[in-house]
Amino acid sequence: AQSVTQLDSQVPVFEEAPVELRCNYSSSVSVYLFWYVQYPNQGLQLLLKYLSGSTLVKGINGFEAEFNKSQTSFHLRKPSVHISDTAEYFCAVRHSGAGSYQLTFGKGTKLSVIP
Amino acid sequence: DTEVTQTPKHLVMGMTNKKSLKCEQHMGHRAMYWYKQKAKKPPELMFVYSYEKLSINESVPSRFSPECPNSSLLNLHLHALQPEDSALYLCASSQDLTGGRSGAFFGQGTRLTVV
């Protein structure tokens, strides 16, 4: 079984400041990792994913995340946030093996960008 | 085309009504999913279809009935729902059950209100 912990339920940050949204996971097998963003009254949009290779992953809208296997973390970062980044962010993990349909989500982090 | 399209966007139904949610994708994906998302919670998996066959039913009540008429379409038939079934219903698709290298794509959701 796998689980995802998003340590912060809410993160307020001033516009143009940097932000880090934390995600830790636990799994007994190798996993794929994802960050999704959900704007108010919208579906989920894939921001970025880690499957293999370079541990620093760049995504859309200027976001990046770093996979740290020893710390079982996949924190999301952006050097300078914009008002339009206000949204709910979900970290998710999936077992990398065959037939591994189960996408396990964290509880989400609400990012509020303050003008 | 990397879209998953869901209709309708909003639905209000009475507890004795019968309605259907529709989901469509044209990415050639062979796995499709229904998720339920309550306010301020992560999505919860309901059903998984693989190659038009139901693979997973996460102990969902029978008042929710999924259907996959072909590889591009996924329906969710609703009958005799309860007010607590009010939620955002999300459809997703992926290359196959392993998710491929792209992960899952989500639709914008149907906001369902049961009165």
Side-chain angles (χ1 to χ4, degrees):
Chain A
Q2 57 222 18
S3 66
V4 179
T5 302
Q6 290 183 245
L7 295 163
D8 305 299
S9 59
Q10 297 189 59
V11 173
V13 62
F14 285 104
E15 193 174 14
E16 297 184 6
V19 69
E20 178 179 83
L21 305 184
R22 296 180 292 170
C23 173
N24 287 88
Y25 70 93
S26 67
S27 176
S28 57
V29 296
S30 61
V31 295
Y32 295 152
L33 295 153
F34 306 85
W35 275 99
Y36 286 88
V37 60
Q38 186 173 34
Y39 298 103
N41 300 311
Q42 300 275 321
L44 273 69
Q45 182 181 7
L46 182 65
L47 269 180
L48 48 78
K49 60 185 183 288
Y50 173 78
L51 304 179
S52 63
S54 172
T55 56
L56 183 62
V57 179
K58 294 190 183 299
I60 62 171
N61 301 342
F63 283 94
E64 64 180 34
E66 184 152 21
F67 170 58
N68 188 320
K69 189 173 181 179
S70 61
Q71 296 186 5
T72 59
S73 67
F74 190 54
H75 301 332
L76 181 70
R77 302 187 184 98
K78 186 169 182 177
S80 175
V81 295
H82 190 266
I83 294 289
S84 59
D85 292 323
T86 293
E88 190 85 24
Y89 291 79
F90 291 100
C91 181
V93 62
R94 180 168 64 79
H95 175 213
S96 61
S100 53
Y101 69 92
Q102 183 74 356
L103 192 63
T104 302
F105 288 92
K107 292 189 175 182
T109 297
K110 181 171 174 55
L111 174 64
S112 299
V113 180
I114 305 162
Chain B
D1 183 1
T2 57
E3 280 194 357
V4 176
T5 303
Q6 290 187 244
T7 56
K9 285 186 171 23
H10 301 275
L11 178 63
V12 179
M13 61 184 290
M15 289 188 284
T16 59
N17 291 160
K18 284 186 181 180
K19 297 287 185 183
S20 296
L21 310 185
K22 297 186 184 302
C23 174
E24 188 169 4
Q25 57 86 15
H26 295 287
M27 294 178 277
H29 288 173
R30 303 314 297 269
M32 296 186 76
Y33 312 78
W34 280 115
Y35 285 83
K36 174 182 177 180
Q37 186 181 24
K38 300 285 276 185
K40 301 187 188 306
K41 298 286 187 183
E44 296 176 355
L45 184 66
M46 300 174 72
F47 301 105
V48 180
Y49 271 82
S50 175
Y51 290 84
E52 296 103 72
K53 290 191 180 347
L54 182 64
S55 291
I56 302 292
N57 176 340
E58 294 284 357
S59 303
V60 179
S62 60
R63 57 186 184 269
F64 295 92
S65 175
E67 178 198 19
C68 191
N70 59 55
S71 60
S72 299
L73 295 174
L74 184 66
N75 299 323
L76 186 62
H77 303 298
L78 313 172
H79 173 55
L81 294 194
Q82 303 296 311
E84 58 265 29
D85 296 322
S86 298
L88 182 68
Y89 288 84
L90 293 164
C91 174
S93 72
S94 65
Q95 183 178 317
D96 52 35
L97 281 184
T98 70
R101 297 191 67 79
S102 299
F105 289 82
F106 284 80
Q108 295 298 293
T110 294
R111 176 74 60 189
L112 174 67
T113 303
V114 182
V115 297

